[in-house]
């Protein structure tokens, strides 16, 4: 009888110890400790961080660092020929998430990612994600671009609108097409001149291209690149901004801008890496207005209430899902 009681007592003590140990392990497990620590994140940019597209990524990563979620380092003005080396150096240094743009270095970027399957890569790309660790994103702000096009179509007196972009790649093409569709929804007779400067950052070239369009009768410019709004302000015509809000730099010039918010994309990727759930997927949808990845800003001193009301009505239909802006990645062509 005594032996039986003793055995029961021992079993209860062992079970109690196991429960305590399990509780302690659950609280202090390496996975949970790792998740609580700031993530090491590196970004690689082929242009200066001032360039509007990169500026939005840089801003979102800085915000995450200020919250204490990540430790963030970056390289800017990285030549395409150096991109692979820089990616590999960051991976070797133990950065858990590497962000960048792979548009001109697709093969090199994907090769490096395949060599470091334990590292998460989130790269701007027009191509699909690649297993197991190469996720992609893009600035799908075609919805606010459509809305800005509505304003341009209403404000153009000549019926001639110019569009100046960097390269004719899907992420630029879709924004231009959406902008043109928005303009034609207000003025079906509007004509477009489309030009690409074949550079992501060449303000003087963009400015000169804008001058030529203005001389041809264009009175509203779609400024996909820096330099276009400078020409618009100098010549006293209107411009539409893209990705960032530069209205304060160009008074009485920028009618509206389609803004890209990279925070939803970056925050989703950080959370996935910390949870051990990062995988190869397309993060593009987090740039949609419904996810908070895109918005429209309007200079209400230049856009009257009636026009703004029409724009807001279409915006509401986009957000409630009753209207979808067509995504067209084909290269846009001039119509005049």
């Amino acid at each position: 009888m005594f032996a039986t009681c003793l055995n029961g007592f021992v079993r209860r003590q062992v079970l109690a110890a196991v429960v305590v140990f399990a509780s302690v392990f659950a609280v202090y497990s390496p996975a949970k400790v790792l998740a609580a620590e700031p993530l090491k994140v590196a970004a690689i940019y082929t242009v200066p961080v001032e360039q509007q597209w990169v500026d939005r990524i840089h801003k979102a990563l800085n915000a995450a660092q200020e919250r204490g979620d990540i430790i963030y380092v970056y390289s800017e003005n990285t030549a395409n020929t150096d991109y692979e080396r820089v990616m590999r150096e960051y991976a070797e240094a133990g950065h858990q998430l590497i962000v960048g743009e792979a548009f001109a270095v697709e093969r090199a970027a994907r090769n490096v990612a395949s060599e470091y399957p334990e590292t998460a890569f989130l790269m701007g790309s027009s191509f699909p994600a690649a297993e197991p660790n190469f996720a992609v994103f893009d600035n799908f702000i075609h919805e606010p671009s459509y809305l800005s096009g509505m304003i341009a179509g209403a404000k153009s007196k000549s019926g001639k609108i110019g569009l100046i972009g960097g390269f004719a790649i899907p992420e630029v093409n879709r924004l231009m097409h959406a902008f043109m569709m928005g303009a034609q929804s207000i003025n079906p007779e509007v004509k477009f001149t489309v030009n690409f400067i074949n550079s992501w950052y060449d303000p003087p070239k963009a400015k000169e291209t804008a001058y030529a369009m203005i001389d041809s009768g264009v009175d509203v410019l779609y400024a996909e690149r820096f330099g276009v709004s400078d020409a618009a302000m100098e010549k006293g015509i209107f411009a539409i901004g893209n990705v960032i809000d530069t209205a304060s730099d160009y008074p009485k010039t920028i009618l509206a801008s389609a803004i890209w918010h990279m925070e939803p994309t970056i925050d989703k990727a950080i959370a996935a890496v910390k949870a051990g759930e990062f995988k190869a997927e397309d993060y593009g949808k987090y740039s949609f207005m419904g996810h908070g990845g895109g918005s429209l800003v309007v200079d209400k001193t230049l856009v009257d209430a009636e026009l703004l009301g029409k724009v807001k009505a279409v915006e509401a239909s986009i957000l409630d899902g009753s209207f979808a802006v067509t995504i067209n990645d084909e290269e846009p062509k001039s119509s005049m």
Side-chain angles (χ1 to χ4, degrees):
M1 180 70 177
F2 175 77
T4 302
C5 291
L6 179 63
N7 288 338
F9 174 78
V10 170
R11 282 197 300 272
R12 285 195 297 273
Q13 294 302 307
V14 170
L15 285 172
V18 169
V19 170
V20 170
F21 177 79
S23 300
V24 170
F25 185 79
V27 173
Y28 296 105
S29 68
K32 288 185 179 291
V33 171
L34 179 62
E37 294 175 352
L39 204 68
K40 290 181 65 177
V41 179
I44 312 166
Y45 308 121
T46 60
V47 293
V49 291
E50 291 80 13
Q51 191 259 18
Q52 63 264 51
W53 196 85
V54 162
D55 171 83
R56 306 314 287 177
I57 306 170
H58 188 57
K59 179 177 179 290
L61 287 168
N62 273 320
Q65 178 165 248
E66 289 169 6
R67 292 195 306 266
D69 291 344
I70 66 173
I71 298 172
Y72 169 49
V73 297
Y74 66 93
S75 298
E76 60 182 328
N77 289 315
T78 305
N80 291 343
T81 51
D82 284 338
Y83 207 93
E84 186 174 356
R85 174 185 61 79
V86 176
M87 283 183 71
R88 189 171 282 106
E89 287 177 355
Y90 279 136
E92 290 287 347
H95 290 89
Q96 296 143 291
L97 172 63
I98 298 177
V99 182
E101 75 262 40
F103 297 108
V105 288
E106 288 285 351
R107 182 173 297 178
R110 290 166 187 268
N111 284 342
V112 172
S114 68
E115 296 172 14
Y116 298 92
E118 300 304 314
T119 302
F121 292 85
L122 178 65
M123 308 295 287
S125 174
S126 302
F127 296 94
E131 296 292 348
N133 60 332
F134 193 93
V136 297
F137 69 89
D138 213 337
N139 65 330
F140 280 89
I141 54 170
H142 54 294
E143 296 161 325
S145 293
Y146 180 97
L147 300 175
S148 71
M150 292 177 64
I151 294 172
K155 297 294 285 187
S156 175
K157 295 180 180 178
S158 68
K160 296 180 179 180
I161 297 176
L163 297 88
I164 299 172
F167 290 92
I169 64 171
E171 68 116 0
V172 176
N173 298 344
R174 72 175 68 105
L175 306 187
M176 287 187 167
H177 276 295
F179 171 84
M180 291 190 288
M181 285 186 287
Q184 289 175 325
S185 73
I186 296 294
N187 180 5
E189 303 302 319
V190 71
K191 301 296 182 184
F192 304 100
T193 299
V194 181
N195 201 303
F196 295 94
I197 63 171
N198 294 318
S199 171
W200 289 130
Y201 194 74
D202 193 343
K205 187 174 182 180
K207 189 175 182 180
E208 289 300 320
T209 303
Y211 283 148
M213 287 188 179
I214 295 168
D215 289 342
S216 72
V218 162
D219 65 353
V220 179
L221 286 166
Y222 174 73
E224 199 269 330
R225 293 292 103 190
F226 277 157
V228 177
S229 296
D230 296 88
M233 187 170 69
E234 288 181 18
K235 295 294 185 178
I237 70 167
F238 292 128
I240 298 291
N242 181 61
V243 175
I244 62 176
D245 183 6
T246 58
S248 62
D249 297 324
Y250 304 99
K252 301 186 184 302
T253 301
I254 307 291
L255 293 166
S257 299
I259 307 299
W260 185 30
H261 304 286
M262 187 63 176
E263 286 79 2
T265 301
I266 289 296
D267 293 349
K268 189 76 174 179
I270 290 171
V273 175
K274 285 196 170 191
E277 297 173 353
F278 187 88
K279 59 184 179 180
E281 61 181 307
D282 189 344
Y283 279 68
K285 65 182 180 182
Y286 299 112
S287 291
F288 282 42
M289 293 182 75
H291 287 278
S295 67
L296 180 76
V297 294
V298 179
D299 186 337
K300 295 180 182 179
T301 67
L302 301 176
V303 178
D304 62 78
E306 181 181 358
L307 175 56
L308 185 57
K310 293 179 181 178
V311 172
K312 287 294 184 182
V314 176
E315 180 181 66
S317 68
I318 290 171
L319 292 174
D320 69 20
S322 59
F323 175 66
V325 178
T326 301
I327 296 175
N328 184 347
D329 287 347
E330 297 298 317
E331 181 177 344
K333 303 295 182 182
S334 298
S335 57
M336 66 175 180

